[in-house]
Amino acid sequence: MGRPFRAIRPDERRDTWAAFLTLFGFLASHSILETARDALFLAKVPARNLPWVFLAIAGVSLVVTNLQARLSRTLSGRPAVAAWTVVAAVVTFAFWWLLGAMGSLGLYALYVWSGVLTSLVLVHFWTLLGNMFSVTQAKRLYGFIGAGSVLGAIVGSGTAGVLSRFVAPGQLLLASSAGFMVTSALPLLFKKQGGASVSARGEPAAGLLENARYVARQPYARAVVLLMVSSTTALTIADYLFKSTVALSVPKADLGTFLATVYLGLNILSLLTQVFLVSFIVRRFAISTALAVLPAFLIVGGLGMAATAGLIAALVIKTADGALRYSLHRTTSELLFLPFSDEARRRVKGFIDVVGQRGGQVLASIAILTVTALATHPRHGVKILAAMLAVVATIWFANALALHAPYMDLFRSLSRASKVQHLDAFPQLDVASLETLVASLDSPKNNEVTAALDVLEREKKVHLVPALILYHPADEVVERALSIFTRAKRTNVTHVIDRLLEHPSPRVRAATIAARSVLNPDAQRLLLRMSFEESPEVRATIVVNLIASGEIFGSDARERVDGFLQRGSQATRVALAEAIARREAHGFSFAILAMAKSSEVPVRLAAISAMGRLKSSDFFPALLDLHSDEVTRRAATRALFECGEAAFAALILALADENRPALLRGRFPDAMSQFDPGRAASSLLARLPKESDGSVRYRILRALESITRKNPGLTLDRPTLVHAIEGTVSRAYRYLDRRLIVERGVKALPSRATPGQKVLVRVLRDKEQNAIERLFRLLTLAYPGEDFVQIYRGIRIGRKDTRASSMELIENALDEPLRRAVLGLVDDGDGAERLLASGRYHTPLGLDYVPLLEHILKSTSRSLQDVTVFHVGELQLQGFYDLVASLPRSGGPGCDITRTLALLTTEGGKA
Amino acid sequence: MISQDAEGISREGLRDRILLLRSLSTFAGLDDEALTLVAEHGKTRRYRKGDEVATEGAPLLSVHIVLRGALEVVQNGRTVLVEEEQGIGVLAVLARETSCSRAVAARDTLTLEIPVTVYLNALEENFSLVRHLLRVMSKAMLEARGNLPAKPSDTVPDKGEYFEGTRTLVQTVIGMTAIAGPLANANMDALIEVARRTRQIEVEIGHVFWRPGDPSTYSIRVTHGLVRCTNPEGAHVDVGPGFSLGSFDMWSGLPRVYAAEAITVIQAYRIDTEDFLPVLEVHVDLAMELLSVLAVALLRA
């Protein structure tokens, strides 16, 4: 029991104990009632009549459920549990009072009452708990709470066994009634908000038909209903097999004692299962596996019973039923409802209570009635029913295993509710889209027209752009169209282009000359134009084209270009760069590189564009450096991309060159992700373990995410990823361990609580969080089927349901030992408890406060070193002088090492 | 009456929404991936004049960008006209508000509706969106404050204590966390990175940090002294210790819109845009905190 106790966290104690005690009281009272019922019923009524009772229970339950649905508008949560338990006490008391006068009809009524009673109370009880606890909490707490039911059943059947030696079975009803009355006070121990989820909203409870429609729409709900129907059918048949065999084999006078003894033994077994097995199985295995354990035993027992039809086989079946039904089966069945929202849970539970539970009983009853009517001998009928049990249990078994996928899908759907979906690729143009795009060229909004032009060029549909667009009233549109026509080499627009040579805008004239020089070169016309053109921008364009065509050459060419560079306006230099780009004229590298260093952004951008068109490796160093500036970064990446493979190779080298600032290197992964995805991914992944700078590692991860998102079929090198994941888990636990030591150290000696110590704790906590975030990004790369980034977001959001869904997804997606370690990192429990989950990924440091500071100073993290050095100064730990002095430092008065060394020297001299 | 443009979506498709967004100057700063994200998760909604787009006090579940038409939004008792390319709900979401202001279609209106959760996740996933918002909101903030970093009516602060010597990295970090603002509770890794990239400066009375039209490439966080900021119209405001001066200009990417001159000896930290941006890219929480502070200030402006 130690483990379940440890699993209860302080804020959960009250509700967990309230649940435990309520369940204990209810089941103890109910067990006394059951013992009385079975002893009275089986002594006077033949067991073959039991199926009629089961049918009656189903019918009455239907009525009661609808009554409950109506009442739940005003009565739900903990008051409902309390009120229905009072009803249980009163009705049971009435049976004690009136049973003698009711004759055998009273026995039937008592049996039906004991069956309906559980529906009345326990549905409210488990719904209350389902609203109160998340799936993560449930997995921790339901084992303990469930022990309340088993313990209650033991105490109840034990009490009944003892009492039955002294009083008649009918008197047990009084004891049961008293037990229910005492229990009715226990739900009031729950915190008030626990019961508020249903009643506070005042929503009307849905009727059975409405619930049925809801279940029909939900694949997972349908699967749960099927599981419940098959399990109830199998358990009802099993119960009948046991009771009918007992009735045949045990003398009626001994029935009370025999049943009490068997039930006591079974309940003790159930308790042992609950305490030692349930938590282990639920935590260790998938829920579907846990659900398949009981049917597996029933298949074996059913086959054995079909072969022998003896009391031993019946006891085997009953043992499996008794040991597992109210422990493992009940706990895991309740877990099945947790992926539902509160509203959905109410609907599905409402439906399952009638159709799942009672429907199963009806099916089993019909089967039993049919078999017993047709069987020539009771033992023969038992064998047929045992075979049927094996068949139904097999269906149950298979259904349990098949439930895993829809169970996980439901958690995924919860997790994905806020997920940002990403396109695999830019969608292909269809005819309708093309029509819209071309229609956009007539838009009165210039930016809409230029956007359409850009898309058409990117989609290689420039031939669809009408030449008449060159008559567009907006200069920017005409310029853009000219550039696009030039790049696409669309010579059939030259007749329109010629009309633009007299355009009032110098920029349009320059673009026109550049376009014409490419599409239909004519040096003589250019020379003629040069003689009267006054605009420096247009002249610069003409000069570039004349140099490119060899009309101007040698020092004359150089001088003219230098003239534009040194004396030209910003517009002239932009025109110069654009002309070089449009003509794709080589021999102008000096000019382009000079303009790439300009302080004027438009000039730099024009130079970058030209570099992309010229595709020379001479430009790579400049293009790499231009990634440091926000305004030129995107253009520089595009230019490198246009340069192709050689540029990619330059990026790989630049990323690995740790002499470059990390700030700049951090830009390269994103640039690399624009290239061939396979090569980019393998290059980035290869760099990941070697990269020493945390921010660059992060940028590599983000780039890898972007690549794999756009290319879902891409496979990354598994060993490298696993290595990175393990390293990150270790790092996160190391930070946690260090922080816990620091926090403990301050509790031991409060004078250590200095400003530096507070910063140290925050740094360690935040570094741990950063490592965890990166871990989930790595997991997304390693497990493409699960979106771990979204799972982590679900954990961080802080909402109970999304957090629990995320935890459940982790449990099911990862294998041990990684699963436990990852869960430990995101658990909201106490730090020391979380550290225990580290497993093989971290060996506890086991250090005291001062040795820990020494340990951190010897680590590789500069931030941690700086903060620790500062803290050492605060504490005046002279013994650290040599160690602090040996650390690399920037020097100067603003250096923490220098300051601390001064403090250590001043305060106490070198130790 | 509200109607979803279901027909429009299927006919025009995602591509056309991207095209539409690309043509809006509001989204000019976004890269292709960010544009696709917005287009993919947005739904176009048509409203007739007088239709209620958002109900006062209702849970804030989505933001709207006006594509055509205009909305009337009631904020702090004032009715504001939100026109094409502007949005409703964005500031409230960033300011971490949970309920809507009332919004009604001022004429037949087409909006792009984006669920809040998706919007926030998209911000975390795509820095281009964050950068874009920083730019747009900072610009709006400067306009709201009459091209000054603070309201001229604000109280003249005390010039604070003069710090002898130079602060170490850890002292800088402790100082940053001591002042309420986006850095106070920032991730310590981010804060240390910021501190590492700042330079401590000390200037004499009369030093001009910048004039209108100068490029906005850095901001300063004053730790001692008073700086007078004067806009081209002659209005001025004095700011002092704890104030981050020039950050709106820096994030907007626009040239300086006011002059900043030391009227006492000034001690301050200086950080360049290109040093700050990479920190925000790696530490999205800090970026979101900055956006939140800006959004709260804009809603109050």
Side-chain angles (χ1 to χ4, degrees):
Chain A
M1 294 287 278
R3 187 182 171 85
F5 277 126
R6 277 205 307 273
I8 306 169
R9 295 181 178 161
D11 59 326
E12 300 163 342
R13 271 182 204 144
R14 179 168 164 176
D15 287 332
T16 307
W17 274 104
F20 176 89
L21 292 173
T22 304
L23 209 50
F24 171 83
F26 182 81
L27 264 296
S29 313
H30 193 262
S31 290
I32 298 173
L33 174 64
E34 270 189 326
T35 308
R37 175 202 70 185
D38 287 353
L40 290 166
F41 190 89
L42 292 178
K44 294 182 181 169
V45 182
R48 66 174 178 275
N49 288 359
L50 274 174
W52 295 107
V53 180
F54 294 154
L55 286 172
I57 291 174
V60 175
S61 292
L62 192 66
V63 176
V64 167
T65 304
N66 275 317
L67 176 72
Q68 269 193 322
R70 288 206 183 92
L71 288 175
S72 68
R73 292 170 200 186
T74 50
L75 186 66
S76 59
R78 60 177 203 155
V81 180
W84 285 112
T85 314
V86 170
V87 171
V90 171
V91 176
T92 306
F93 181 82
F95 272 108
W96 171 76
W97 185 261
L98 300 170
L99 195 62
M102 292 168 77
S104 59
L105 189 64
L107 295 177
Y108 283 102
L110 177 65
Y111 208 116
V112 171
W113 164 243
S114 70
V116 171
L117 172 58
T118 50
S119 303
L120 281 173
V121 179
L122 291 183
V123 166
H124 281 290
F125 175 81
W126 288 110
T127 304
L128 173 66
L129 259 59
N131 295 339
M132 198 178 284
F133 297 125
S134 70
V135 67
T136 318
Q137 289 174 302
K139 282 191 167 184
R140 271 191 292 109
L141 305 174
Y142 277 17
F144 176 73
I145 293 168
S149 79
V150 181
L151 206 59
I154 291 172
V155 171
S157 52
T159 306
V162 173
L163 288 177
S164 63
R165 294 174 197 276
F166 305 104
V167 297
Q171 299 304 312
L172 295 179
L173 294 175
L174 186 60
S176 170
S177 171
F180 283 133
M181 190 51 84
V182 172
T183 303
S184 67
L186 298 174
L188 303 177
L189 295 173
F190 284 111
K191 286 179 199 159
K192 275 194 177 173
Q193 64 268 29
S197 58
V198 180
S199 59
R201 288 194 296 267
E203 292 166 6
L208 186 65
L209 198 62
E210 210 176 319
N211 290 344
R213 283 198 204 102
Y214 183 84
V215 168
R217 286 197 302 269
Q218 302 281 334
Y220 175 69
R222 289 200 303 267
V224 173
V225 170
L226 181 60
L227 184 117
M228 291 302 170
V229 170
S230 55
S231 64
T232 312
T233 308
L235 291 169
T236 307
I237 294 174
D239 190 49
Y240 176 81
L241 285 172
F242 171 71
K243 285 174 181 164
S244 57
T245 311
V246 168
L248 287 172
S249 314
V250 179
K252 285 183 181 174
D254 299 336
L255 268 177
T257 312
F258 176 83
L259 288 172
T261 310
V262 170
Y263 288 163
L264 178 65
L266 289 178
N267 285 330
I268 290 173
L269 197 59
S270 182
L271 181 66
L272 294 175
T273 310
Q274 185 75 41
V275 172
F276 295 108
L277 269 182
V278 172
S279 276
F280 171 77
I281 291 175
V282 164
R283 284 173 172 231
R284 185 86 188 179
F285 299 101
I287 190 167
S288 51
T289 312
L291 281 165
V293 175
L294 177 54
F297 279 107
L298 291 183
I299 294 169
V300 175
L303 293 174
M305 187 86 181
T308 64
L311 185 60
I312 302 295
L315 279 170
V316 168
I317 290 173
K318 191 63 186 173
T319 304
D321 178 2
L324 299 172
R325 191 202 292 206
Y326 294 107
S327 54
L328 184 65
H329 178 64
R330 170 57 105 174
T331 305
T332 45
S333 297
E334 290 303 328
L335 290 175
L336 283 178
F337 294 98
L338 292 171
F340 293 114
S341 65
D342 291 355
E343 168 65 12
R345 190 180 306 121
R346 251 184 329 169
R347 285 168 174 269
V348 176
K349 272 186 98 66
F351 183 78
I352 281 176
D353 186 54
V354 176
V355 178
Q357 303 274 13
R358 304 309 164 198
Q361 284 183 339
V362 168
L363 285 176
S365 302
I366 292 170
I368 294 166
L369 286 171
T370 310
V371 170
T372 48
L374 297 177
T376 50
H377 187 275
R379 299 255 177 224
H380 188 209
V382 164
K383 285 190 174 186
I384 295 172
L385 283 171
M388 288 176 80
L389 170 64
V391 172
V392 178
T394 305
I395 295 170
W396 173 6
F397 180 82
N399 191 32
L401 294 180
L403 209 58
H404 182 70
Y407 176 78
M408 293 310 297
D409 283 346
L410 201 58
F411 276 114
R412 283 192 192 100
S413 70
L414 289 174
S415 169
R416 282 178 190 150
S418 61
K419 176 179 161 55
V420 178
Q421 305 284 346
H422 293 272
L423 285 182
D424 294 347
F426 203 74
Q428 291 299 307
L429 273 179
D430 53 22
V431 175
S433 294
L434 277 173
E435 279 177 6
T436 317
L437 271 177
V438 174
S440 298
L441 297 177
D442 293 330
S443 166
K445 291 185 171 182
N446 297 339
N447 46 12
E448 220 168 283
V449 180
T450 50
L453 283 171
D454 286 346
V455 175
L456 284 166
E457 185 189 22
R458 191 163 77 178
E459 299 296 320
K460 298 187 172 47
K461 303 285 181 191
V462 176
H463 61 280
L464 295 176
V465 181
L468 293 178
I469 193 133
L470 294 172
Y471 290 127
H472 197 281
D475 293 354
E476 62 186 277
V477 172
V478 179
E479 274 186 65
R480 188 71 61 97
L482 279 168
S483 296
I484 288 172
F485 287 148
T486 309
R487 284 195 287 270
K489 304 279 191 293
R490 236 185 91 173
T491 51
N492 64 352
V493 294
T494 46
H495 64 288
V496 185
I497 288 177
D498 283 345
R499 294 171 189 264
L500 296 175
L501 287 168
E502 305 310 321
H503 198 282
S505 159
R507 282 192 57 81
V508 172
R509 289 207 304 280
T512 304
I513 287 169
R516 208 183 186 293
S517 301
V518 173
L519 299 176
N520 188 11
D522 185 345
Q524 290 311 308
R525 284 186 74 155
L526 285 177
L527 286 167
L528 179 64
R529 183 88 203 175
M530 186 77 163
S531 63
F532 63 85
E533 178 61 59
E534 291 178 355
S535 160
E537 291 150 80
V538 183
R539 291 177 68 83
T541 305
I542 295 172
V543 166
V544 167
N545 282 287
L546 286 173
I547 292 172
S549 58
E551 295 296 322
I552 304 174
F553 53 91
S555 58
D556 183 22
R558 177 75 190 226
E559 279 167 20
R560 284 177 188 245
V561 173
D562 282 344
F564 288 124
L565 288 176
Q566 287 155 19
R567 294 181 295 279
S569 66
Q570 175 183 303
T572 305
R573 280 173 290 137
V574 168
L576 181 71
E578 286 176 348
I580 295 168
R582 286 179 178 131
R583 185 63 193 250
E584 294 179 15
H586 291 275
F588 291 91
S589 297
F590 69 98
I592 297 294
L593 288 170
M595 285 188 281
K597 289 179 183 164
S598 167
S599 61
E600 294 149 309
V601 173
V603 177
R604 289 209 301 276
L605 288 172
I608 292 169
S609 177
M611 291 184 198
R613 302 296 300 171
L614 296 173
K615 303 178 178 60
S616 164
S617 60
D618 295 348
F619 299 135
F620 292 169
L623 285 172
L624 291 168
D625 288 343
L626 284 161
H627 277 79
S628 63
D629 190 343
E630 186 190 13
V631 292
T632 53
R633 188 174 305 135
R634 211 185 298 173
T637 298
R638 200 163 41 236
L640 280 174
F641 177 73
E642 286 170 14
C643 293
E645 285 301 299
F648 182 72
L651 274 168
I652 295 176
L653 289 174
L655 177 64
D657 179 7
E658 297 206 359
N659 290 321
R660 289 175 186 269
L663 210 64
L664 177 60
R665 287 194 302 119
R667 302 297 177 190
F668 297 150
D670 185 51
M672 288 167 72
S673 71
Q674 308 299 314
F675 287 77
D676 173 71
R679 286 200 58 202
S682 61
S683 304
L684 287 167
L685 197 58
R687 178 67 202 161
L688 189 61
K690 298 174 197 158
E691 179 55 54
S692 62
D693 186 274
S695 66
V696 179
R697 277 202 303 274
Y698 179 78
R699 306 298 311 168
I700 291 175
L701 271 181
R702 295 306 303 264
L704 281 169
E705 272 178 49
S706 171
I707 293 170
T708 50
R709 203 159 51 217
K710 290 175 191 159
N711 306 275
L714 201 66
T715 309
L716 301 179
D717 182 53
R718 185 83 185 170
T720 312
L721 277 175
V722 169
H723 179 68
I725 287 169
E726 292 182 346
T728 310
V729 172
S730 297
R731 192 157 50 242
Y733 274 112
R734 193 160 58 242
Y735 291 131
L736 172 63
D737 196 358
R738 288 170 177 173
R739 177 167 63 82
L740 292 176
I741 294 171
V742 174
E743 287 173 342
R744 277 199 304 270
V746 169
K747 275 185 192 156
L749 193 60
S751 62
R752 288 170 176 158
T754 61
Q757 179 269 340
K758 289 186 178 74
V759 173
L760 182 58
V761 167
R762 272 187 65 180
V763 172
L764 289 167
R765 180 182 288 121
D766 291 345
K767 278 191 172 291
E768 179 195 334
Q769 287 309 313
N770 295 345
I772 293 171
E773 192 213 331
R774 285 164 201 193
L775 168 67
F776 277 82
R777 293 193 181 279
L778 279 166
L779 288 170
T780 302
L781 296 175
Y783 298 83
E786 296 288 352
D787 188 343
F788 276 93
V789 172
Q790 187 63 15
I791 289 174
Y792 181 59
R793 193 171 283 131
I795 289 169
R796 269 183 33 210
I797 285 172
R799 271 175 45 192
K800 194 178 80 172
D801 55 344
T802 50
R803 184 182 166 78
S805 301
S806 297
M807 298 292 272
E808 187 67 4
L809 287 170
I810 295 170
E811 278 205 34
N812 284 275
L814 301 180
D815 295 322
E816 292 295 354
L818 184 61
R819 171 171 48 197
R820 184 159 179 256
V822 173
L823 285 170
L825 284 174
V826 292
D827 195 292
D828 54 4
D830 139 80
E833 193 183 318
R834 289 171 55 213
L835 193 60
L836 291 174
S838 62
R840 69 177 167 91
Y841 298 99
H842 175 71
T843 308
L845 297 169
L847 296 171
D848 285 331
Y849 197 84
V850 174
L852 176 80
L853 297 182
E854 186 181 343
H855 162 83
I856 295 176
L857 286 177
K858 289 175 180 170
S859 74
T860 52
S861 164
R862 261 191 71 197
S863 327
L864 275 175
Q865 278 179 353
D866 285 330
V867 177
T868 309
V869 162
F870 184 85
H871 187 45
V872 163
E874 288 177 318
L875 298 180
Q876 297 167 26
L877 299 171
Q878 271 87 21
F880 278 73
Y881 187 95
D882 289 336
L883 180 55
V884 172
S886 70
L887 296 172
R889 63 183 118 162
S890 56
C895 172
D896 280 295
I897 295 175
T898 309
R899 176 183 172 277
T900 294
L901 288 175
L903 274 173
L904 295 181
T905 311
T906 311
E907 299 297 334
K910 183 181 165 185
Chain B
M1 186 179 153
I2 300 170
S3 64
Q4 184 182 342
D5 188 20
E7 187 198 350
I9 288 170
S10 59
R11 183 168 52 80
E12 292 169 359
L14 175 65
R15 167 178 291 280
D16 305 313
R17 257 182 279 159
I18 297 171
L19 183 65
L20 180 66
L21 293 175
R22 199 189 293 277
S23 71
L24 301 177
S25 59
T26 312
F27 296 107
L30 299 193
D31 61 20
D32 278 356
E33 197 170 351
L35 267 179
T36 311
L37 266 176
V38 174
E40 198 178 11
H41 293 90
K43 285 180 181 167
T44 44
R45 303 265 183 192
R46 288 187 195 283
Y47 298 92
R48 294 197 190 287
K49 183 181 177 183
D51 283 350
E52 190 172 60
V53 179
T55 309
E56 176 77 35
L60 182 56
L61 300 176
S62 55
V63 301
H64 290 263
I65 310 293
V66 179
L67 302 176
R68 306 268 188 272
L71 301 174
E72 278 178 359
V73 183
V74 181
Q75 278 174 350
N76 305 327
R78 286 180 302 145
T79 301
V80 180
L81 195 66
V82 176
E83 297 186 281
E84 284 182 19
E85 305 193 15
Q86 296 178 327
I88 61 164
V90 176
L91 287 182
V93 166
L94 295 172
R96 294 172 186 141
E97 289 185 3
T98 52
S99 58
C100 295
S101 297
R102 184 164 192 266
V104 176
R107 44 185 177 264
D108 287 356
T109 300
L110 177 70
T111 71
L112 184 73
E113 182 188 28
I114 306 165
V116 165
T117 47
V118 169
Y119 184 67
L120 289 174
N121 289 354
L123 284 176
E124 280 188 27
E125 286 300 303
N126 191 301
F127 187 73
S128 152
L129 284 166
V130 174
R131 181 69 190 99
H132 174 66
L133 275 176
L134 273 175
R135 201 178 280 128
V136 173
M137 289 165 67
S138 299
K139 189 179 164 197
M141 197 66 216
L142 280 170
E143 284 169 4
R145 287 184 175 171
N147 285 337
L148 284 172
K151 285 182 184 167
S153 54
D154 287 354
T155 320
V156 178
D158 185 79
K159 64 180 183 178
E161 282 184 29
Y162 182 83
F163 186 87
E164 289 291 346
T166 309
R167 287 182 175 87
T168 67
L169 177 88
V170 181
Q171 284 173 321
T172 303
V173 168
I174 291 170
M176 284 174 170
T177 55
I179 300 167
L183 297 181
N185 294 309
N187 184 294
M188 205 42 93
D189 242 11
L191 215 51
I192 290 175
E193 277 305 306
V194 172
R196 232 186 259 293
R197 290 159 196 228
T198 58
R199 279 186 286 140
Q200 293 176 51
I201 56 172
E202 182 166 333
V203 297
E204 297 301 318
I205 299 173
H207 174 84
V208 176
F209 289 98
W210 56 75
R211 293 190 171 84
D214 286 352
S216 306
T217 54
Y218 69 95
S219 69
I220 58 171
R221 191 178 174 91
V222 181
T223 55
H224 168 79
L226 298 176
V227 179
R228 173 153 299 171
C229 305
T230 311
N231 68 13
E233 289 74 41
H236 73 264
V237 63
D238 294 340
V239 298
F243 198 90
S244 279
L245 187 60
S247 42
F248 294 148
D249 333 17
M250 179 176 90
W251 296 128
S252 72
L254 298 171
R256 303 288 185 191
V257 289
Y258 56 88
E261 183 181 352
I263 54 174
T264 67
V265 169
I266 297 290
Q267 287 184 315
Y269 295 112
R270 171 185 161 146
I271 186 158
D272 291 353
T273 322
E274 283 304 322
D275 285 331
F276 208 155
L277 274 177
V279 181
L280 293 187
E281 284 184 66
V282 175
H283 298 281
V284 181
D285 287 350
L286 178 58
M288 297 298 286
E289 192 61 36
L290 265 178
L291 287 177
S292 174
V293 169
L294 263 173
V296 170
L298 269 173
L299 284 171
R300 285 181 188 158

